[in-house]
Amino acid sequence: MRSPTLTLPKLGVGLAYQAPLAPLLAAAGPELDYVEVVPDILWTDLGRTAEPRYIDDRAGRDALEQASRCRPVVAHGIGLSIGSAGAFDAAHVAQVERWRRRLGFPWHSDHLAFHLAEHGDAPMNVGITLPLARDRQSIELLVPRIRTVQQRVPVPFLLENNVYYFDIPGCEMDEPTFLNTLCRESGCGLVLDLHNVYTNARNHGFDAGALVAELELEHVGEIHVAGGMELDGFYLDAHSDTIPDPVWSLLEWTLPRCPNLGGVTFELFGSWFDSVGNARITADLRRLRALWTQALQPAVPRRVLAEAA
Amino acid sequence: MSLLAFQTALARLIVEPDFRDAVRGDGAAALPGPLTALEASRLVTIAGDRGLDMNRTLHKGFRLGKLRALLPLTCALLRPARLAREVAAFWQANPPASFSFLPEALEFCDFLARRELRSVYLAEVLAYERATLELERARLGPTPPQSVRFQHDPVRLLGTLAAGRRPRSVPPRPCLLLGSKGGDEPVHWTLVDAVSPLARYDRAHAADLMAA
C-alpha cells in the first residue's frame, strides 16, 4: 500500500523554541524561517482523571502567539506516547488540535516511542522516549492510532525516529524497513532526526549513512539536527551544542533527496544557550539556510551543463 | 495484553533499580507475567545492557529537573547532596505516576514536611512553594486562598534564594503571605505583618488569618 503524497509547505530553516532562546528568536533575521515548539510546554496536564485536565500556560501562550505573528509555528510534541500498549490518549490529540487552531501549525509531529506505561492501576511516566520493538505487532498498534490523529488534526502528522541507548533484541525488521513500512501503511510522514541516527550509529556501531540511504526519503517531512555530548561511554542526544561535522555530512547528502521536505529544525536546549553562544548558533542557522536554498534549486539538466562547458 | 506487561516491565527496569537487579540476578523468573517467551528473553537481555543504566540516568535527570523547575527555592535551600538523598528516598516509595509532575512536586513537599529535617528556613520555604503550586493547580477552578505563615522576613529569605544565594541570619519577622490568583493571571502575594498589617487588611482580618 502506498501512502498519499506528503504535502507540506516549504518553510525553510527552523529553531526549536526554548524560553532562554527568546532573545535570539526576536533578533533573528532571514536565516530563520519558522519556530518549532513542543506544544506540551504550553499547558500543564494534571492527568487523565483530572477535571479540568489541562491548564494553559499564559506566559508560554503569549510568547508563542507573539512568535507566530512573525513566523510560522510548527508543533513537535512529546506527550502522545503513541506506542503505549495500554491506551491511546485521544484527549491529548484534542488538545493538540485546540492549539493548532490557535497557532496555525502547518504540520505537527511527535515521537515514535512510548514513555507512558502502567504499574498496577496507576500510570507511570518514565519521562524519556523508550524504543518500540520493530515488529509487525507495533505497526498494527500504530497505524490505526496515526489515522485517528490524522482525522482529528487536519494537517500532516509526522513521527520522529527515536534515539535509543539500548535496542530491543530480536526485532523482525531493521530500522529503515520499519520506518518505511510504517509511513507507507499509515500515511504519516517522518521527522528524520539525523542527530538521533548519528547518536544511535555511534553508540551501537553501525553506519549512519547506510541507514539513511535505505530510507524512502519521500516520507521525510522534516529534518532535525542538533549537537550532543559524551557521558559515561555514551554519546548523548543532549541538544547541548552546535551541529557536529558528521551530522552536517548526513544533512548535505539527505536534504536534496527529500522531495517533500517542509523544513530543517535546529534543536538546542535552552540551558546550553549561554555556553554555546548566540554567534555559533546563528552561524549554524545561516549554514542551514544556505543548504536549504541550494537544495531548493531545480536540478540542472546534464545537457545544459555540457553545453555550458 | 502481553505487550502491556512488556512495556510495564521495561519501564520498571529503568525506574526501579531493585527490579532491574532482580532480573539481572534471576532472569525471567523475576519477571511478572503475562509475557511471551520472546518478550521475557528481550527483557532479560535489556536488563544486562549498559544502555539501560544510561536511560536510568536520563530518567532521573528528567524527573529531578521537573522538581527543580517546580520547587526551585526548596531545592536551592537543600543543597545538592541533601537534595539527592531526599529525592532518592522519595522516589523509592513513589513511582513517577503523574503526567505533568505538578502532583509529584506537591507530594514531594508533603514528604519533606513529614521528614522534619533540621533546617531553620525549610518549613517556611516549603510552605510558600507548596502554596504557589496549589494556586497554579487551581488556576481554572475556584481558587482557594493560600496563606503561608513566616517567622523570618520572607522578602529577604525568598529573595536571597531566588538570587541563587544561601540565606544567612534572616531577621525575624512574624507575618503572613497571602496568595491569590485570578483566572490565568500570575500568582499575587500580599505580605501582612503580624504587628502592623498593611493598610488594605484590617487588624481583625489579619488576626483571623493568623489564627487560621
Side-chain angles (χ1 to χ4, degrees), chain B residues 143-182:
Chain B
T143 306
Q146 296 289 322
S147 63
V148 181
R149 188 189 305 272
F150 277 82
Q151 297 302 323
H152 302 89
D153 183 347
V155 177
R156 180 83 69 87
L157 175 58
L158 303 176
T160 302
L161 282 167
R165 299 192 306 273
R166 293 199 58 73
R168 295 181 198 285
S169 306
V170 179
R173 186 178 181 183
C175 62
L176 279 180
L177 276 189
L178 305 176
S180 62
K181 187 167 177 54

Side-chain angles (χ1 to χ4, degrees), chain A residues 61-115:
Chain A
R61 183 194 68 198
D62 291 350
L64 265 296
E65 283 181 345
Q66 173 75 21
S68 70
R69 283 194 277 273
C70 306
R71 295 178 176 87
V73 174
V74 170
H76 180 55
I78 56 171
L80 183 55
S81 195
I82 195 167
S84 283
F88 177 65
D89 193 351
H92 179 90
V93 178
Q95 178 73 350
V96 171
E97 167 58 7
R98 198 164 69 82
W99 279 89
R100 183 201 66 79
R101 287 199 298 267
R102 179 175 270 172
L103 294 175
F105 312 138
W107 70 82
H108 72 117
S109 60
D110 208 293
H111 293 78
L112 183 50
F114 80 99
H115 65 273

Side-chain angles (χ1 to χ4, degrees), chain B residues 89-134:
Chain B
F90 173 67
W91 287 348
Q92 187 80 20
N94 293 273
S98 53
F99 285 70
S100 66
F101 291 87
L102 191 150
E104 171 154 301
L106 288 166
E107 288 171 13
F108 187 55
C109 289
D110 297 339
F111 170 84
L112 286 177
R114 287 195 301 273
R115 301 276 281 182
E116 297 181 351
L117 300 172
R118 278 190 219 160
S119 169
V120 178
Y121 308 118
L122 182 61
E124 292 160 68
V125 174
L126 197 55
Y128 167 76
E129 290 205 302
R130 196 191 192 294
T132 304
L133 292 181
E134 285 290 4

Side-chain angles (χ1 to χ4, degrees), chain A:
Chain A
M1 187 195 310
R2 300 295 297 181
S3 62
T5 302
L6 194 62
T7 307
L8 275 65
K10 298 272 182 200
L11 294 187
V13 172
L15 181 65
Y17 173 81
Q18 299 263 306
L21 300 179
L24 187 151
L25 287 170
E31 67 273 10
L32 188 65
D33 299 299
Y34 66 95
V35 176
E36 183 159 286
V37 62
V38 173
D40 314 62
I41 68 167
L42 298 171
W43 62 73
T44 298
D45 181 353
L46 297 178
R48 293 181 189 184
T49 57
E51 182 57 43
R53 174 172 169 180
Y54 298 104
I55 300 174
D56 290 347
D57 177 73
R58 178 180 175 167
R61 183 194 68 198
D62 291 350
L64 265 296
E65 283 181 345
Q66 173 75 21
S68 70
R69 283 194 277 273
C70 306
R71 295 178 176 87
V73 174
V74 170
H76 180 55
I78 56 171
L80 183 55
S81 195
I82 195 167
S84 283
F88 177 65
D89 193 351
H92 179 90
V93 178
Q95 178 73 350
V96 171
E97 167 58 7
R98 198 164 69 82
W99 279 89
R100 183 201 66 79
R101 287 199 298 267
R102 179 175 270 172
L103 294 175
F105 312 138
W107 70 82
H108 72 117
S109 60
D110 208 293
H111 293 78
L112 183 50
F114 80 99
H115 65 273
L116 297 176
E118 294 175 16
H119 190 12
D121 292 330
M124 177 163 51
N125 184 350
V126 186
I128 51 176
T129 55
L130 297 179
L132 302 174
R134 297 185 298 271
D135 294 343
R136 190 71 223 165
Q137 183 186 32
S138 296
I139 299 279
E140 286 169 5
L141 176 80
L142 292 164
V143 168
R145 293 179 173 188
I146 290 167
R147 292 201 175 128
T148 300
V149 175
Q150 290 166 332
Q151 286 162 6
R152 296 187 184 178
V153 186
V155 292
F157 177 52
L158 320 177
L159 284 170
E160 178 185 313
N161 58 302
N162 199 29
V163 67
Y164 51 89
Y165 300 101
F166 63 82
D167 199 4
I168 295 181
C171 288
E172 295 166 6
M173 299 176 227
D174 60 23
E175 191 169 3
T177 305
F178 183 73
L179 294 172
N180 293 339
T181 304
L182 182 67
C183 290
R184 254 185 267 132
E185 295 193 13
S186 70
C188 80
L190 182 66
V191 173
L192 177 56
D193 191 316
L194 290 175
H195 192 254
N196 285 356
V197 174
Y198 171 67
T199 301
N200 294 338
R202 267 184 72 160
N203 290 328
H204 300 287
F206 63 81
D207 180 347
L211 185 147
V212 174
E214 292 293 317
L215 292 171
E216 294 166 359
L217 294 175
E218 69 269 29
H219 300 306
V220 177
E222 184 181 343
I223 290 175
H224 278 182
V225 286
M229 59 186 281
E230 295 270 359
L231 180 69
D232 294 342
F234 284 86
Y235 179 79
L236 299 184
D237 176 42
H239 299 183
S240 56
D241 208 341
T242 49
I243 303 162
D245 286 342
V247 175
W248 281 115
S249 299
L250 284 173
L251 180 65
E252 287 163 3
W253 187 89
T254 309
L255 202 154
R257 291 173 170 79
C258 298
N260 300 313
L261 192 65
V264 180
T265 307
F266 177 49
E267 298 181 296
L268 179 81
F269 283 144
S271 53
W272 296 96
F273 176 62
D274 286 339
S275 61
V276 176
N278 199 336
R280 292 177 64 216
I281 299 168
T282 303
D284 268 13
L285 290 173
R286 288 184 178 146
R287 186 172 169 186
L288 288 172
R289 194 67 179 68
L291 279 177
W292 174 265
T293 304
Q294 190 180 338
L296 280 191
Q297 302 293 325
V300 182
R302 287 187 181 179
R303 183 176 53 78
V304 176
L305 284 175
E307 287 171 1

Side-chain angles (χ1 to χ4, degrees), chain B residues 11-36:
Chain B
R12 288 182 64 201
L13 285 174
I14 293 163
V15 171
E16 299 175 28
D18 292 347
F19 178 65
R20 176 203 59 196
D21 293 344
V23 177
R24 281 179 179 171
D26 301 334
L31 292 166
L35 293 166
T36 65

